[in-house]
Amino acid sequence: MTIVLILGALFLLLLARVPVAFALGGMGLGMLLAGGFSPLMAPQAILSTLDGFILLAVPLFLLMSNVLLKGGVGRDLFAAVQAWVGHWPGGLAVATILSCGIFAAISGSSVATAATIGTVAIPEMLARGYEKRFVYGLLAAGGTLGILIPPSIPMIVYGFVTEESVIALFLAGIGPGLALLGLFIVFSMAHAAARGMGRAQAATWSERRHASIRALPSLALAVIVIGVIYTGAATPTEAAAIGFAAALVITGVILRTLNWESFREAAMESMATTVAILLIVAGAKVFGKAIALYRLPQEISAFIGEVIHTPLAFVAVVAIVLLIMGLVFEALSMVLIMTPVLLPAAVGLGLDPIWFGIFMVIMVECALITPPVGLNLYVIQAVARASMGEVARGVIPFLLLMFVTVILLYAWPDLALYIPFKL
Amino acid sequence: MAPFAQLVTLLARIAAALFVASGAMLTYEVIARYFFTAPTIWAAELSQLCLIWGSLLAMAWCLRERRHIRITAVTGLLPLRGRLVAEAGAMLAVAAFSALVAWKGFEIFWVSFERGRTTGSMLDLPIWIAEFAIPFGFAVLVVQALIEALRVMRGDLPAEGAQRE
């Protein structure tokens, strides 16, 4: 019963526009006081969160992608991919999705991915006669690849709260990320074929060479960051720092597209996002500590154990709950509130915690594009000056493809677990 | 601009600079380790301090600019008056929480400061350097939250800042 009251009070605070970080922290602190535990645990939990080395990767990955964004790397990347696949059926759509996938490999954020590629791809696709709804849906959904293909900020946070390896999570995201990318591409080609879209002329070899050379540094950056993490040459946090430094060299020295003013904007933007994210993690830590002292996760786990007997039923129920929460909740808060509550039960049913993390990330991707609250919907709405309704309707087929990916992931867990554990 | 508002802006800029500095330090660390085979003893620890101080210094600015992530969809359905009441309540809740954390955080800092505790790491810095960020950051936040509550009670409801993740 306590759990219903506690979650009810928490949701009430959250819905009454208390910032998520303070709703979680305040709820936790209130529970500590009510339960006769020391309130000193609140500042301690906040400090120990910010003292986590892995979380230092958050501002650094954000700096890296914001610098690239301000340096106009999205345009070069899109032009290069377009030169290679633009003449395929639905070529422009395929180029858009591939660009999202590549940018996802240099960015840990889905919003940055949607904004970067959306800015260049949307006007071009509309000019070439693609249906509006399809274009908006494609970009909103394509942007969510940013958090499934490593690096990924939600994975860093999940790894931090569950004490699982962030490296394993990153590697586990590659398989499902590529699967989703593939599904999006096939759907785009089928959509273009069904609509009888004309095919663009193939780019000449010299055009291809020229466009590729400009995009090459950013591509190399993606490979280096993942490579460094995979080989263990540096920790994810150090890899993020190198990525940030390399992004500065690429945009400031090689391409000369970043000036002092845009660098300052990138730094302020990254700072604001970092603080917003890390404070939520800190608030969740206070809350997590409090519910652990009340032994709530164990109770929930026991309750779930009584009612649900198969992993399939558990995953299905969790997926539905997350989908409903995702209508209103912002993505990261969902991971932070639900992970400590659900993970013990998931592990009890024999689910792998890394697998469960990837599953959570895909569900979070759905939350990013389900109205009324979905950050990616807002981004595309702003970039394209479109109505919310148009964007939201366009997203539906892509949402279904995400469900397909979840089903694939359940039926064949190695889609995620092969690369980190069996390769 | 009022002096306090200027202070809050300055703290946010310092925070941004600290995050950039942590990137520079860790890049140097990797270069030093692989190219000079001389890893530093300070890069990891100092960059961690940058994260602690940076995050806590900029909290007040994030509140003023409405950059903290929150759910406005439900209160958005209310008429303006209802939104103002919810907003004022939310700001007072932030102030109350922050005051308590600042106070308890100060106790932690003071104990370490008086006893001269150190980190026991290679640099062996005093522990209070990190711990002082909590009472300082949250004290500034209390003031900012009260300013925001007053502003809202006067009928001024600022727009949400961009939320990104």
Side-chain angles (χ1 to χ4, degrees):
Chain A
M1 203 55 231
T2 341
I3 185 71
V4 179
L5 282 176
I6 289 170
L7 284 181
L10 177 65
F11 288 176
L12 207 67
L13 279 179
L14 288 171
L15 297 182
R17 48 198 306 152
V18 176
V20 177
F22 299 96
L24 282 166
M27 206 47 219
L29 184 54
M31 287 170 68
L32 288 177
L33 290 169
F37 300 104
S38 165
L40 286 176
M41 273 189 251
Q44 267 161 0
I46 295 170
L47 200 59
S48 75
T49 302
L50 299 177
D51 205 14
F53 188 63
I54 187 67
L55 291 186
L56 194 46
V58 172
L60 299 175
F61 276 128
L62 285 169
L63 278 166
M64 168 167 132
S65 57
N66 277 326
V67 162
L68 292 172
L69 178 78
K70 297 278 179 197
V73 160
R75 188 169 300 278
D76 295 338
L77 210 56
F78 184 61
V81 178
Q82 206 188 334
W84 288 96
V85 303
H87 61 290
W88 292 11
L92 204 52
V94 176
T96 301
I97 275 299
L98 279 176
S99 305
C100 285
I102 296 171
F103 196 78
I106 21 185
S107 148
S109 139
S110 61
V111 168
T113 308
T116 310
I117 306 302
T119 317
V120 284
I122 291 176
E124 201 141 342
M125 287 185 76
L126 292 180
R128 205 70 71 76
Y130 280 86
E131 192 195 3
K132 268 188 186 174
R133 228 189 259 179
F134 170 75
V135 175
Y136 300 155
L138 182 74
L139 265 303
T144 67
L145 288 169
I147 57 170
L148 186 56
I149 296 178
S152 155
I153 288 171
M155 285 183 198
I156 295 174
V157 169
Y158 179 89
F160 177 78
V161 289
T162 59
E163 296 178 359
E164 293 295 332
S165 154
V166 171
I167 299 172
L169 283 163
F170 276 7
L171 297 177
I174 297 175
L178 292 179
L180 193 53
L181 190 74
L183 286 172
F184 284 172
I185 289 176
V186 169
F187 175 72
S188 298
M189 291 173 75
H191 177 91
R195 303 233 135 213
M197 300 284 305
R199 288 165 66 161
Q201 222 172 357
T204 65
W205 283 101
S206 88
E207 278 168 351
R208 283 181 184 169
R209 200 181 59 229
H210 185 75
S212 304
I213 287 173
R214 255 189 99 73
L216 205 59
S218 316
L219 268 176
L221 185 54
V223 175
I224 290 169
V225 169
I226 294 302
V228 161
I229 296 174
Y230 184 70
T231 57
T235 62
T237 307
E238 288 170 343
I242 301 170
F244 166 43
L248 281 179
V249 173
I250 291 171
T251 53
V253 182
I254 301 178
L255 301 176
R256 295 185 169 281
T257 46
L258 187 81
N259 57 29
W260 176 246
E261 192 46 43
S262 43
F263 170 66
R264 271 188 48 169
E265 280 169 24
M268 284 302 273
E269 197 53 50
S270 310
M271 178 277 293
T273 310
T274 302
V275 175
I277 291 176
L278 292 191
L279 280 182
I280 294 185
V281 182
K285 183 112 174 190
V286 178
F287 180 69
K289 198 147 214 165
I291 62 169
L293 287 168
Y294 279 62
R295 301 186 54 78
L296 293 181
Q298 291 92 326
E299 271 181 40
I300 293 176
S301 182
F303 172 74
I304 292 177
E306 274 169 35
V307 186
I308 298 175
H309 302 286
T310 66
L312 178 60
F314 177 75
V315 170
V317 169
V318 171
I320 292 167
V321 169
L322 292 179
L323 210 56
I324 295 170
M325 271 182 88
L327 298 180
V328 201
F329 272 72
E330 169 281 330
L332 204 61
S333 347
M334 233 166 75
V335 175
L336 283 162
I337 296 172
M338 296 314 276
T339 301
V341 176
L342 293 174
L343 191 63
V347 174
L349 284 166
L351 295 169
D352 183 281
I354 299 289
W355 182 91
F356 193 69
I358 300 301
F359 162 70
M360 289 280 270
V361 169
I362 301 179
M363 293 316 296
V364 159
E365 287 186 76
C366 296
L368 283 167
I369 56 171
T370 45
V373 180
L375 283 184
N376 274 25
L377 297 179
Y378 297 153
V379 173
I380 296 307
Q381 202 189 351
V383 169
R385 298 201 180 78
S387 82
M388 186 64 154
E390 269 177 318
V391 187
R393 271 194 298 277
V395 147
I396 296 169
F398 297 97
L399 206 53
L400 296 177
L401 292 176
M402 290 182 185
F403 296 158
V404 171
T405 312
V406 171
I407 294 169
L408 278 178
L409 185 65
Y410 183 82
W412 188 46
D414 273 354
L415 181 60
L417 301 179
Y418 184 78
I419 297 181
F421 299 122
K422 299 182 183 166
L423 195 64
Chain B
M1 219 197 294
F4 183 75
Q6 279 176 340
L7 171 73
V8 166
T9 307
L10 176 69
L11 293 178
R13 291 200 179 129
I14 294 174
L18 287 174
F19 293 155
V20 171
S22 71
M25 285 190 268
L26 289 176
T27 304
Y28 178 80
E29 161 75 19
V30 176
I31 293 173
R33 192 165 71 216
Y34 282 98
F35 294 95
F36 313 139
T37 348
T40 69
I41 60 162
W42 48 266
E45 204 169 332
L46 292 186
S47 56
Q48 197 70 52
L49 274 180
C50 289
L51 186 72
I52 295 172
W53 272 94
S55 306
L56 296 168
L57 283 181
M59 287 189 301
W61 180 86
C62 284
L63 190 72
R64 186 180 78 197
E65 305 294 320
R66 298 294 189 273
R67 296 295 296 255
H68 286 297
I69 295 167
R70 57 191 187 146
I71 300 162
T72 50
V74 177
T75 50
L77 303 173
L78 298 173
L80 179 66
R81 200 167 170 74
R83 286 207 301 275
L84 284 170
V85 170
E87 181 78 358
M91 290 302 154
L92 290 175
V94 171
F97 171 75
S98 307
L100 202 54
V101 172
W103 171 33
K104 292 293 156 192
F106 186 83
E107 283 181 12
I108 294 176
F109 149 76
W110 189 246
V111 171
S112 303
F113 182 73
E114 276 204 314
R115 298 190 186 164
R117 283 192 190 141
T118 58
T119 53
S121 60
M122 302 254 234
L123 284 183
D124 212 27
L125 295 170
I127 282 186
W128 64 262
I129 295 179
E131 288 173 346
F132 186 62
I134 297 255
F136 184 83
F138 277 94
V140 178
L141 184 60
V142 173
V143 178
Q144 188 66 51
L146 292 176
I147 291 175
E148 293 305 324
L150 278 177
R151 178 172 161 195
V152 173
M153 283 175 203
R154 281 200 221 106
D156 175 15
L157 190 69
E160 286 297 283
Q163 296 185 345
R164 303 256 169 96
E165 82 190 64

